[in-house]
Amino acid sequence: GPLKPEITITYIAVSAIFFNSGLSLKTEELTSALMHVKLHLFVQIFTLVFFPTAIWLFLQLLSITPINEWLLKGLQTVGCMPPPVSSAVILTKAVGGNEAAAIFNSAFGSFLGIVITPLLLLLFLGSSSSVPFTSIFSQLFMTVVVPLIIGQIVRRYIKDWLERKKPPFGAISSCVLLMIIYTTFCDTFANPNIDLDKFSLIIIVLIIFSLQMSFMFLTFFFSTRNNSGFTPADTVAIVFCSTHKSLTLGIPMLKIVFAGYEHLSLISVPLLIYHPAQILLGSLLVPTIKSWMVSRQKAQKLTRQPKAPMKV
């Protein structure tokens, strides 16, 4: 169509989000985030190992139900996807969590996903097509890493102006993300061969919301335990990065791995539902998570303060 999403979304929109992040993020925060190995391991193992395995086990139960089998296979593809390159960062920023860790895990998870996601799709679903890793890797490098670095370089020269004016980076990223979702929905539902029954679709929507809530609770529970070593700001990044899945990487990957597959449109539907659902659910939870984080940070500061010496 006239919006040309194959150019405007695939390259310009994703690049804009990461240029925006590079421009708004303090360099020292990004550098310190690189050293937080425990947090990165938690997010990547949960996203690329626990998530797809848990979905696979759950689908063994659902396979005996009358739900459309291709939609169920689509749920498995959701489990195999890497972290998103945008939504988790935007929501972490909105709460005031560890944005640097969210950005690092989004970028790092995306690169891991280039290799791991197609392998997981082949393992759980199977496909005979070859996956052009080089082209996906180069595209990710150009749309994620390069804009982030350019944003950081530009920030050095206009740092004072940014701190004075405080441009609405969050609102800009949200608008770009809305555009990505809109064009992807158009692309999928414009397919005349798509054959959806209402029962299966409603059940899949309910399953997706239930899965998201369950996984968010699990990550919150494990990252807030006394011996976890994570700060409240870290927990915010973990909850969003571990449970969110990439649409901007996912749809192109599905088109590559399942090229020529007659049920590709149906397989894509759960991911198309999951992405806006994760943003909607995340946005609704932002005030609650923010108040929890602030109160937890205040409590930690009080416990750290040295007690005043007793007067004799």
Side-chain angles (χ1 to χ4, degrees), residues 91-287:
L91 290 168
T92 303
K93 187 182 176 73
V95 173
N98 192 339
E99 190 196 352
I103 284 183
F104 178 83
N105 276 287
S106 292
F108 183 58
S110 298
F111 280 106
L112 279 180
I114 296 167
V115 178
I116 295 173
T117 295
L119 292 176
L120 288 173
L121 289 170
L122 297 174
L123 175 69
F124 288 112
L125 298 167
S127 173
S128 56
S129 64
S130 58
V131 182
F133 292 113
T134 313
S135 62
I136 305 176
F137 190 85
S138 58
Q139 184 185 320
L140 268 177
F141 184 78
M142 293 306 295
T143 56
V144 174
V145 178
V146 172
L148 191 66
I149 293 169
I150 292 171
Q152 286 282 285
I153 293 167
V154 173
R155 181 184 167 81
R156 283 191 163 196
Y157 295 100
I158 59 168
K159 189 178 176 182
D160 295 333
W161 180 83
L162 288 172
E163 287 176 3
R164 254 193 345 266
K165 295 289 182 182
K166 298 193 186 312
F169 291 116
I172 294 165
S173 295
S174 299
C175 290
V176 176
L177 196 59
L178 190 65
M179 188 179 165
I180 292 171
I181 295 166
Y182 171 74
T183 52
T184 312
F185 262 98
C186 290
D187 188 34
T188 299
F189 292 104
N191 188 335
N193 300 321
I194 197 161
D195 180 29
L196 275 174
D197 64 281
K198 289 178 184 176
F199 168 77
S200 293
L201 189 61
I202 292 165
I203 296 296
I204 289 293
V205 171
L206 292 173
I207 288 169
I208 282 169
F209 274 100
S210 304
L211 284 172
Q212 282 191 27
M213 288 299 291
S214 303
F215 285 140
M216 286 179 92
F217 173 76
L218 266 179
T219 51
F220 181 81
F221 174 76
F222 284 116
S223 61
T224 52
R225 283 162 58 179
N226 291 331
N227 59 349
S228 69
F230 298 124
T231 65
D234 291 341
T235 296
V236 174
I238 286 168
V239 166
F240 289 128
C241 289
S242 301
T243 58
H244 281 209
K245 292 293 184 176
S246 177
L247 179 74
T248 46
L249 287 176
I251 294 295
M253 276 192 186
L254 287 180
K255 285 180 179 175
I256 291 164
V257 177
F258 299 107
Y261 222 68
E262 61 174 312
H263 298 289
L264 176 59
S265 294
L266 282 174
I267 290 173
S268 307
V269 167
L271 184 58
L272 282 166
I273 297 167
Y274 194 96
H275 194 266
Q278 72 192 8
I279 297 165
L280 176 65
L281 199 58
S283 303
L284 291 172
L285 290 172
V286 161

Side-chain angles (χ1 to χ4, degrees), residues 44-74:
Q44 301 308 328
I45 290 170
F46 190 95
T47 309
L48 296 169
V49 179
F50 177 80
F51 204 126
T53 308
I55 294 280
W56 182 80
L57 291 169
F58 182 53
L59 290 181
Q60 302 311 301
L61 296 172
L62 290 179
S63 61
I64 58 172
T65 65
I67 301 169
N68 187 303
E69 65 167 313
W70 300 106
L71 288 178
L72 292 180
K73 287 186 177 184

